Amino acid sequence: MAVSKINGNDFERMLKAALTRLKKHEPEINDMNVFPVPDGDTGTNMRLTLQNGILTAASSPKIGEYLKGVKKGTLLGARGNSGVILSQFFSGLSNSLADRDEASSRDFFEALVCAYQTAYKSVINPVEGTMLTVAHLGVENIRSRLESFDGSVDSLLSEYIREMDVVLKETPEMLPILKESGVIDSGACGYVYMVQGMLYGLLNPDQDFEVDLSVSHYGKKENVSSTIESDNFTRTSIFQEGYCTEFILQLMDGSSYSQDFEIEAFREKLKEFGSSIVAFQEDSRVKVHIHTLKPHRVIEFAQQYGEFVTFKMDNMQIQKNEHEVHINSKKTEKKHKDVAVIAVVNGDGIRDLFQSFNCDVILDGGSTMNTSAQEFVEAYKSLDADHIVVLPNSRNVMFAAKQAMEISKITNISILETETMLEGYYALAIGQIVTENFEERLDQMKEGAESVDVISLAPASKPYNQNGISCEKGDCIALYKGDLISVGKDIKYTISQAIKKVPGIDLKDSCIIASGKNATDEMTEELENTIQEILPDVEISVVQGGQDVHTFMVGF
C-alpha cells in the first residue's frame, strides 16, 4: 500500500508500534551500551522517553497538534543521554510540522532533517558514530533520490531505514570504542528499531497496538533483594531518583499544631512534593508513603499537624544502583532480610505497582493462570528471611500457597488471605511503614488489605444465576467479595448498581481504577466519570494494570 499523507492518528499509531518494537529489543540494546559517557541502559532510557511522549500527548487527527504533546512529554520524560537526544528529535519533528494537519512525504522528509539538526544543536560536543550520525546520514543520503520515490510516506521511511542500516554497520569504524568492543552503537540501533516500528505501524492501520504505558523505571525486577549496598552510592554518583519516605503521623492537640487537618486536602498537597503517594487516616494517626526529591518539604508540611510515631527514608538511587549491579553481575546470591514478601500478580502494570514497593518475589498468576505449589516452594526456598509474608491475591491460589508451606517445611511463613490484587497492593503499601516488631507490621498489612473494598468488572463468560441475580454471556458483571452483585449491558449501569451494594462506600475518600488489557480509553473514561458522578468527593486515580480477566478492578 502507498500512504501519500499521514495525520495525527496515523502518527500516534506509528509511535505505539515503535514503542512496542523498542520494548521488544530493550534488553539487546542495553547489553551493547558501551558509549564513552555511559547514560545507564540506553534501551530503557529510549523506551521510557518515547513512552512518556505517548502518555502525555492527547490524541488528535492533526499531526502538528499531536506532535506538540509528544514533544512536551519526551522533553519532560527524557532519561539519560540517549533519551535527551531522542527528545530533541521529536522537538525538531514538532517544530517542522507544528502548523500541519497532515504531512506528505516531502513534509516528513523536511521534518526528519529538522529533527536531526535540532538534536545536533542540543549536544555540546557531538560524537560521530552514534544515533546522531545514523539519523543525519540516513536522511541526507536519500535527498538526491526524493524525486524517484512514488511520493508515499512509507516509501520514504523504507529508504530512510535502508540507508540507516548501512550507516549503522559503519559506526564501529567511526567510534573506536565500538570497534574495540565489537558492537554497533546502542543508541543508533535503538533509533533504527524505533523507525522500523513506525513503518510497521503505518502499514498496518487496522492493527490495535496495545502497549503497556505504565511507568516502569528499570524494567522487570524479580527475585532481587531490596537489601541496600551503600558502596553503590559514592561521592561521584548522580542523584535523581529521590527518597522513599514513609511515616506514621500522630495528629496533635495544642496551639503549636493546626487543628484543621483533612485527609483529602493533605493528600492533594502531597502531590506537590512527590509521587507514588499512599496516605490514609486511622483515627488520629495518618500513614504516609511518598517518593520525593526533597523530603524536608514533606516533613515540614506534616509537622504542622503533629509528630512522627515512626519514620523511614530510603535513598532510591542506591536501590537503583544496587539493582544495576545485580543485573550486570547476574548473581543470584541470597541476602538476609527481616521480612520478605511474595505476591502473585497478573498484568505488567500491576507488577510494576508491586515492584515500586520492593516486593521481593513476584509470581505470575491470577484467575486463569493459577500459581502452582511448586512455584511457591521455589519462591520460599529462594529467600533468606526471618519472616516471609505471602499475598496470594486470589482465592484460587491460597490453597497452593498453604500446601507449599507444608511441603517446604518452612515455618516462618505468614499467608494473608488477600483475594484481589488491589487488596495485596494496599497491604504492601501500608506494610512499608517501618516497625521493629514483625507482628505489628503484619497487622499493618492486614489493615491495609481490609481497608479497601474491591469491585471487579468483567464480561460474563457464560449464563449464570446466583442469589437472584442472573446474567447472559457477554453481559458486564460486577463481583464483590466473590459474589455477583450487579449485571448490566454496559459499564455505567453495572458499576452504578454495584456501588449501591457496598456498605459504607459513601464514606470513602479515594478510589483506584486498574484497567485490564482489554479496557479501552473510552471505557476507562466512562467508568471514571460514572464513579465521579455518584461519589463526587472521591479522589480517583487510574493505573494501566494490564490484567487478563477483569476489565477493571476498582478499589475504594
Side-chain angles (χ1 to χ4, degrees):
M1 65 180 289
V3 182
S4 60
K5 291 184 178 181
I6 56 174
N7 60 23
N9 294 331
D10 297 324
F11 199 71
E12 180 177 8
R13 186 178 69 255
M14 290 164 66
L15 288 192
K16 287 184 175 180
L19 181 60
T20 300
R21 187 160 179 79
L22 260 183
K23 189 171 183 179
K24 177 182 178 181
H25 292 279
E26 186 176 331
E28 170 196 340
I29 300 168
N30 287 342
D31 287 344
M32 68 174 68
N33 184 26
V34 294
F35 193 70
V37 184
D39 61 348
D41 291 330
T42 298
T44 301
N45 288 331
M46 294 181 72
R47 191 258 303 171
L48 287 173
T49 301
L50 177 57
Q51 178 172 292
N52 204 64
I54 296 173
L55 277 170
T56 303
S59 298
S60 172
K62 299 179 179 180
I63 192 169
E65 192 65 30
Y66 178 70
L67 268 168
K68 288 178 184 177
V70 176
K71 173 182 176 180
K72 179 181 178 181
T74 55
L75 289 175
L76 293 175
R79 288 175 174 270
N81 192 53
S82 56
V84 171
I85 293 175
L86 186 61
S87 72
Q88 291 299 306
F89 278 113
F90 284 109
S91 180
L93 283 176
S94 177
N95 293 342
S96 180
L97 299 173
D99 300 324
R100 301 277 183 177
D101 293 346
E102 296 179 319
S104 65
S105 60
R106 170 63 73 171
D107 295 332
F108 202 68
F109 173 83
E110 296 299 337
L112 289 172
V113 171
C114 185
Y116 86 71
Q117 290 176 341
T118 303
Y120 264 97
K121 292 175 184 177
S122 70
V123 181
I124 297 175
N125 295 304
V127 177
E128 297 300 339
T130 64
M131 185 197 316
L132 290 169
T133 309
V134 170
H136 168 210
L137 295 181
V139 170
E140 294 301 338
N141 287 353
I142 61 175
R143 182 183 288 276
S144 62
R145 305 201 305 273
L146 274 180
E147 301 305 324
S148 63
F149 295 166
D150 61 7
S152 67
V153 179
D154 49 296
S155 218
L156 169 67
L157 284 176
S158 296
E159 290 299 313
Y160 183 41
I161 292 168
R162 186 174 293 111
E163 286 297 331
M164 287 196 296
D165 278 333
V166 173
V167 179
L168 183 61
K169 294 173 184 176
E170 297 173 351
T171 55
E173 299 301 322
M174 304 178 193
L175 198 55
I177 192 170
L178 297 177
K179 191 170 186 177
E180 292 170 11
S181 303
V183 296
I184 55 180
D185 181 70
S186 57
C189 181
Y191 183 75
V192 174
Y193 277 137
M194 187 189 78
V195 180
Q196 287 173 346
M198 290 171 64
L199 177 59
Y200 183 81
L202 177 63
L203 293 177
N204 292 273
D206 297 326
Q207 184 167 339
D208 184 12
F209 294 97
E210 292 187 5
V211 294
D212 176 16
L213 294 178
S214 57
V215 179
S216 171
H217 291 284
Y218 322 119
K220 289 188 176 181
K221 178 174 71 174
E222 184 169 279
N223 297 345
V224 179
S225 170
S226 61
T227 302
I228 300 303
E229 295 289 349
S230 59
D231 289 345
N232 294 324
F233 188 72
T234 66
R235 184 172 181 173
T236 58
S237 296
I238 298 174
F239 183 75
Q240 58 187 12
E241 298 302 319
Y243 297 92
C244 179
T245 305
E246 303 154 357
F247 57 82
I248 297 177
L249 180 72
Q250 174 64 63
L251 302 178
M252 305 290 289
D253 294 330
S255 59
S256 300
Y257 305 96
S258 173
Q259 301 303 309
D260 61 352
F261 179 86
E262 293 182 359
I263 186 64
E264 183 175 354
F266 184 81
R267 190 185 292 117
E268 191 67 28
K269 184 67 175 179
L270 287 178
K271 292 180 181 179
E272 298 179 13
F273 305 139
S275 59
S276 298
I277 299 166
V278 177
F280 293 94
Q281 182 178 2
E282 294 179 0
D283 297 324
S284 62
R285 289 189 173 182
V286 183
K287 296 182 179 182
V288 173
H289 170 278
I290 183 172
H291 292 175
T292 178
L293 286 168
K294 302 294 182 181
H296 72 276
R297 297 176 63 194
V298 179
I299 295 170
E300 290 172 358
F301 170 63
Q303 280 188 301
Q304 295 179 74
Y305 303 102
E307 300 297 341
F308 303 108
V309 178
T310 62
F311 193 96
K312 176 176 175 284
M313 184 171 70
D314 289 326
N315 182 326
M316 292 191 296
Q317 190 67 50
I318 299 178
Q319 295 173 335
K320 177 174 185 277
N321 294 353
E322 189 269 341
H323 174 62
E324 289 177 345
V325 168
H326 172 87
I327 293 299
N328 292 333
S329 63
K330 297 183 179 178
K331 292 179 179 179
T332 58
E333 66 180 42
K334 297 180 181 178
K335 293 180 180 179
H336 180 78
K337 296 192 70 178
D338 294 331
V339 180
V341 180
I342 298 171
V344 179
V345 306
N346 172 246
D348 289 345
I350 300 295
R351 172 183 286 270
D352 289 340
L353 282 178
F354 278 74
Q355 286 179 336
S356 72
F357 289 113
N358 297 313
C359 188
D360 299 276
V361 178
I362 297 179
L363 300 176
D364 289 325
S367 301
T368 60
M369 188 172 63
N370 297 333
T371 309
S372 68
Q374 181 61 41
E375 288 176 279
F376 276 112
V377 170
E378 293 173 359
Y380 296 162
K381 291 183 176 180
S382 73
L383 297 169
D384 178 12
D386 294 334
H387 303 280
I388 297 173
V389 178
V390 183
L391 302 172
N393 299 333
S394 170
R395 288 183 177 183
N396 295 335
V397 298
M398 283 184 196
F399 183 78
K402 293 176 180 178
Q403 181 169 285
M405 186 167 62
E406 297 176 4
I407 294 171
S408 68
K409 301 188 185 307
I410 298 174
T411 59
N412 62 337
I413 299 172
S414 299
I415 300 175
L416 294 186
E417 296 192 350
T418 50
E419 297 183 359
T420 68
M421 289 183 283
L422 289 185
E423 288 175 45
Y425 168 68
Y426 276 75
L428 193 56
I430 295 304
Q432 295 288 304
I433 304 294
V434 69
T435 174
E436 296 273 327
N437 187 298
F438 170 69
E439 293 301 325
E440 289 181 2
R441 180 169 181 182
L442 190 62
D443 285 340
Q444 288 175 348
M445 296 183 75
K446 289 178 181 177
E447 290 171 12
E450 293 169 357
S451 71
V452 60
D453 289 301
V454 181
I455 299 173
S456 299
L457 300 173
S461 59
K462 60 182 180 180
Y464 191 66
N465 189 300
Q466 180 189 57
N467 298 329
I469 301 178
S470 61
C471 68
E472 298 297 326
K473 182 178 180 180
D475 285 349
C476 180
I477 62 174
L479 301 172
Y480 174 67
K481 294 187 181 298
D483 294 327
L484 177 63
I485 63 170
S486 176
V487 175
K489 297 300 180 183
D490 57 49
I491 289 173
K492 184 173 183 177
Y493 178 85
T494 306
I495 191 65
S496 299
Q497 297 303 307
I499 287 175
K500 295 176 183 178
K501 298 181 180 181
V502 178
I505 199 168
D506 56 332
L507 300 177
K508 301 286 187 175
D509 57 15
S510 64
C511 167
I512 182 171
I513 298 174
S515 60
K517 71 175 186 180
N518 295 319
T520 64
D521 291 342
E522 291 76 17
M523 293 162 65
T524 305
E525 183 177 1
E526 181 183 29
L527 177 62
E528 186 176 1
N529 291 339
T530 303
I531 294 173
Q532 200 73 78
E533 288 174 9
I534 300 171
L535 302 170
D537 296 328
V538 165
E539 179 181 347
I540 301 174
S541 58
V542 180
V543 296
Q544 291 179 310
Q547 66 271 12
D548 291 328
V549 176
H550 298 117
T551 310
F552 294 100
M553 295 184 297
V554 187
F556 294 91

